[in-house]
């Protein structure tokens, strides 16, 4: 369950802008704020089943975006390589100018 | 019109996986293969107006994705900085190891 939560929070970071307001709210409260299905249902005055169904569907929506765009996967590949490059440039005693450009690349994410 | 074509081909590179088969076909033929609206309409046995409407809607779909995810914009920012870093590392006479990692980062895009 922890793995699932990490996965959903990870995908949410990349694709939340593509969700509807309702999908956005339910996912944020359930996965990021750790509310229960019952608490979300009560807050929005809907059934627990409706919240459950919406969240399950949204999980599929997020996985579907990731399958097509791979933003989460590419981000992690790029982050690992940028860390490796940073270490390697320290060994090289690279110039301040190079390190500044590297920092700018890291800041784009 | 050239600018528009470049823009649409650029966005298509990033978001084509999110389009329906029909949107994908019309956009590819019109913007990338340079078919006319009439040629596309004849090929798919639909009206020229239907093709026109579909393409206009898909242009909005692509712009909407870009507004939310900015993949095209970030790609160009990152590319420019990676070029700058490559030049800077040549000045530094950086190690072969560093240049290899840089090449791997460039290959992710």
């Amino acid at each position: 369950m922890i793995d699932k939560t990490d996965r959903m929070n990870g995908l949410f970071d990349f694709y939340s802008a593509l969700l509807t307001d309702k999908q956005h709210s339910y996912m944020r409260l359930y996965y990021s704020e750790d509310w229960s299905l019952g608490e979300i249902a009560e807050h929005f005055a809907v059934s627990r089943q409706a919240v459950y169904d919406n969240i399950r569907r949204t999980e599929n929506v997020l996985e579907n975006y990731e399958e097509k765009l791979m933003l989460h996967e590419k981000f992690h590949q790029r982050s690992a390589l940028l860390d490796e490059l940073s270490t390697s440039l320290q060994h090289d005693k690279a110039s301040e100018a190079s390190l500044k450009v590297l920092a700018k690349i890291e800041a784009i994410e």
Side-chain angles (χ1 to χ4, degrees), chain A residues 5 9 12 19 21-44 51 55:
Chain A
T5 299
N9 281 324
F12 189 79
L19 300 179
D21 288 346
K22 193 204 280 185
Q23 290 172 328
H24 196 283
S25 296
Y26 289 5
M27 291 298 278
R28 186 179 59 76
L29 293 171
Y30 187 69
Y31 280 112
S32 175
E33 306 286 327
D34 200 31
W35 286 27
S36 69
L37 294 173
E39 287 170 328
I40 298 171
E42 192 178 334
H43 182 79
F44 288 97
V51 175
I55 288 176

Side-chain angles (χ1 to χ4, degrees), chain A residues 9-108:
Chain A
N9 281 324
L11 296 183
F12 189 79
D13 285 344
F14 291 92
Y15 304 111
S16 64
L18 301 179
L19 300 179
T20 66
D21 288 346
K22 193 204 280 185
Q23 290 172 328
H24 196 283
S25 296
Y26 289 5
M27 291 298 278
R28 186 179 59 76
L29 293 171
Y30 187 69
Y31 280 112
S32 175
E33 306 286 327
D34 200 31
W35 286 27
S36 69
L37 294 173
E39 287 170 328
I40 298 171
E42 192 178 334
H43 182 79
F44 288 97
V46 296
S47 71
R48 189 181 173 288
Q49 185 67 37
V51 175
Y52 176 85
D53 290 345
N54 187 286
I55 288 176
R56 284 296 99 92
R57 273 197 304 273
T58 308
E59 288 167 1
N60 290 334
V61 167
L62 292 177
E63 289 290 358
N64 189 41
Y65 280 130
E66 176 64 7
E67 192 181 321
K68 289 175 173 168
L69 298 179
M70 295 201 300
L71 300 187
H72 183 259
E73 169 70 19
K74 285 182 183 174
F75 168 79
H76 285 286
Q77 285 178 17
R78 201 153 43 219
S79 292
L81 289 167
L82 287 169
D83 285 350
E84 193 180 335
L85 184 57
S86 175
T87 304
S88 187
L89 292 185
Q90 282 165 30
H91 282 273
D92 293 352
K93 301 194 190 309
S95 65
E96 196 62 31
S98 294
L99 298 180
K100 272 192 185 165
V101 182
L102 179 63
K104 280 191 201 169
I105 295 170
E106 289 169 332
I108 290 177

